[in-house]
Amino acid sequence: MVVPPIGEVDLGQVFRALADPLRRAVVVELAADASDGERACSSFPMPVAKSTKTHHWRALREAGLIVQRDAGNGTFVRLRRAEFEQQFPGLLATLTALTR
């Protein structure tokens, strides 16, 4: 699953990905985990069809916010916190503060 290098991440695309409340909730949940651990995609409450979930994961990945990894029957996701903090200082902290 291709993720853009952090230097090629477009802030407009990031904001478009975060405009959706389900995707924004995923990023906020991931940002709340200070250990930056991976989580199973299935562990996020998304009351939508599987095809719509796939769309949401792709939007977050293509925006450069997350990295996904396939493992057997599951897919795992991790926030690109360190890279985002370097490229866009304070963005994730601001997002988290505004969402609470």
Side-chain angles (χ1 to χ4, degrees), residues 30-39 77-82 92:
L30 288 169
D33 178 10
S35 72
D36 285 335
E38 282 187 329
R39 276 191 51 190
V77 64
R78 179 184 57 81
L79 183 65
R80 296 175 71 187
R81 182 194 310 269
L92 295 173

Side-chain angles (χ1 to χ4, degrees), residues 63-80:
L65 284 156
I66 63 167
V67 175
Q68 274 184 296
R69 177 179 66 85
D70 287 331
N73 289 341
T75 305
F76 295 84
V77 64
R78 179 184 57 81
L79 183 65
R80 296 175 71 187

